[in-house]
């Protein structure tokens, strides 16, 4: 095997093993030795590739979020169904949400790769703003080429950003807090793929549709 392909393959093995370890134990509880053992390499190889456990954690989060964005895609005109897509993604990939929760617990302040991640969410907000029909003709005419580099500040941006946050919260809570889901809805409610899961998804979509109904109705 050519050296480049070997290096890429080893790095992929390390990231896969690290994702499992960090999702299960978080940054503080993860052990480099267990990651190395699962990947079939030495601990020294991990430090040679990533420099430190914290940098490895950041690489895992970055890869997971890129995967998340690819699988989910941008907001669509049917915002209620978009909430359903968010729900489906996290029910099928609970590890991603666990990684994000561990990230929130570990970092106090700035995040790794915060600027590109912020830019990604701004793009989602802009797409959502268009779907909500909240951009006026005047705002469109006065846009400048530097718009993407400025902080969101218009009323329509604020509405779209708040709506996106609410849609995400509505869709991920059953996966983020399965114990609360069980306590409220019953022992089988948090089992992905079951009848209760389908009913919960349908209810989330209905709630999301009510939440965005005034703006959505304005488009029809």
């Amino acid at each position: 095997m050519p050296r480049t392909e070997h290096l890429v393959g080893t790095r992929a093995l390390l990231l896969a093993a690290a994702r499992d370890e960090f999702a299960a134990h978080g940054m503080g509880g993860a052990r480099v030795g267990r990651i190395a053992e699962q990947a079939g390499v030495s601990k020294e190889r991990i430090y040679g590739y990533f420099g430190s456990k914290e940098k490895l954690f950041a690489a895992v989060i970055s890869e997971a979020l890129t995967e998340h964005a690819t699988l989910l895609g941008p907001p669509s005109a049917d915002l209620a169904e978009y909430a359903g897509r968010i729900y489906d993604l996290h029910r099928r990939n609970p590890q991603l949400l666990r990684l994000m929760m561990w990230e929130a617990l570990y970092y106090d302040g700035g995040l790794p790769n915060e600027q590109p991640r912020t830019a990604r969410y701004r793009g989602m907000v802009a797409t959502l703003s268009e779907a909500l029909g909240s951009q006026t003709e005047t705002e469109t005419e006065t846009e400048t080429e530097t718009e993407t580099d400025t902080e969101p500040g218009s009323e329509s941006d604020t509405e779209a950003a708040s709506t996106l946050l609410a849609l995400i919260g509505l869709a991920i809570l059953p996966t983020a807090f399965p114990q609360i889901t069980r306590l409220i809805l019953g022992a089988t409610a948090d089992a992905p793929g079951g009848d209760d899961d389908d009913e919960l998804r349908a209810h989330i979509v209905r709630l999301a549709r009510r939440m965005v109904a005034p703006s959505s109705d304005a488009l029809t």
Side-chain angles (χ1 to χ4, degrees), residues 8-191:
V8 171
T10 301
R11 189 177 191 278
L13 285 173
L14 287 171
L15 285 172
R19 182 183 289 206
D20 290 341
E21 179 73 9
F22 285 126
H25 304 288
M27 175 62 192
R31 294 293 177 263
V32 172
R34 287 198 296 257
I35 296 171
E37 182 179 359
Q38 185 175 339
V41 302
S42 66
K43 291 170 60 175
E44 290 73 19
R45 182 68 64 86
I46 292 177
Y47 291 114
Y49 272 93
F50 298 99
S52 67
K53 186 172 79 168
E54 183 169 351
K55 289 180 179 178
L56 175 59
F57 182 55
V60 166
I61 294 293
S62 178
E63 182 186 63
L65 291 176
T66 298
E67 178 184 302
H68 171 274
T70 301
L71 291 172
L72 182 60
S76 59
D78 188 344
L79 300 178
E81 188 54 38
Y82 183 67
R85 283 164 49 196
I86 297 172
Y87 177 83
D88 291 340
L89 175 62
H90 288 289
R91 294 297 267 181
R92 294 168 185 163
N93 303 276
Q95 190 183 68
L96 172 62
L97 191 55
R98 285 198 292 271
L99 285 168
M100 295 176 74
M101 294 174 75
W102 281 119
E103 179 191 46
L105 289 171
Y106 180 71
Y107 290 105
D108 182 16
L111 299 171
N113 302 312
E114 183 160 340
Q115 288 187 339
R117 290 170 64 177
T118 300
R120 180 181 297 166
Y121 278 112
R122 286 187 193 172
M124 294 173 70
V125 168
T127 302
L128 186 58
S129 183
E130 292 178 7
L132 287 167
S134 56
Q135 289 183 328
T136 65
E137 212 172 278
T138 301
E139 289 170 336
T140 302
E141 291 172 353
T142 57
E143 285 176 349
T144 69
E145 64 275 8
T146 60
E147 180 185 356
T148 56
D149 296 326
T150 60
E151 292 288 341
S154 70
E155 185 176 345
S156 62
D157 283 339
T158 301
E159 178 190 356
S162 298
T163 300
L164 177 62
L165 187 62
L167 288 173
I168 293 172
L170 180 66
I172 70 172
L173 190 142
T175 305
F177 299 101
Q179 75 279 26
I180 296 178
T181 303
R182 288 195 301 271
L183 289 171
I184 294 176
L185 298 179
T188 62
D190 69 331

Side-chain angles (χ1 to χ4, degrees), residues 187-202:
T188 62
D190 69 331
D195 291 341
D196 290 342
D197 187 51
D198 291 340
E199 291 178 10
L200 180 56
R201 183 196 190 279

